[in-house]
Amino acid sequence: MARFSYLVLAWLILSSFRIGPQAHAPEMPLLYDVRGAFVSAPASVSPRLVSEIDTRLHASIRATFRKTLLPRTIITVRIFDVRHEKFLVGGLASARISVEATAVGNGEKIAAGGFNVSAYSLSATSGESLLAKRIAERVATEFRLEDAGSSTLATALFP
């Protein structure tokens, strides 16, 4: 019983401490009103991958609604160096991506960045589709776009 009393007393003492406000404000992410997306890739990249990324990004852009006025931009997604590695079971698809945000009003580049994406799939045929999904999700996350998600019978009947 004494151990339990000490434990409760320690918990009460430690829970009474409060962490003060931060010395500096946290950095706010840059937000843009994305009006469109353009996906490009060299000829070595399959058109299916480019098309799936483009379709998913446009669905996310259409699903996003901004309540405040933000700088309007168009994003350009460039796909570099797509690789497919086959394993005994499944395979790994990876790609290097660069993204640029261009202002709609004057055409100047506002932001640029890049990242690597990989997707492991048990099926060799679904690896590219999963890679497209991961790329589109990453770009949508960076630009705070809504996830349009895939349409199912339930979402079609009950929006």
Side-chain angles (χ1 to χ4, degrees), residues 26-83:
E27 185 177 325
M28 291 294 296
L30 297 174
L31 292 177
Y32 304 106
D33 184 11
V34 179
R35 296 299 184 127
F38 177 73
V39 181
S40 67
S44 61
V45 176
S46 81
R48 180 176 173 227
L49 178 67
V50 175
S51 174
E52 282 193 41
I53 295 169
D54 189 59
T55 302
R56 290 178 183 274
L57 282 178
H58 277 80
S60 294
I61 290 168
R62 284 191 305 270
T64 303
F65 175 75
R66 305 277 191 215
K67 293 180 180 178
T68 59
L69 186 62
L70 296 170
R72 297 184 313 167
T73 62
I74 294 175
I75 56 176
T76 303
V77 178
R78 289 189 178 92
I79 306 167
F80 300 102
D81 196 27
V82 176
R83 295 184 183 184

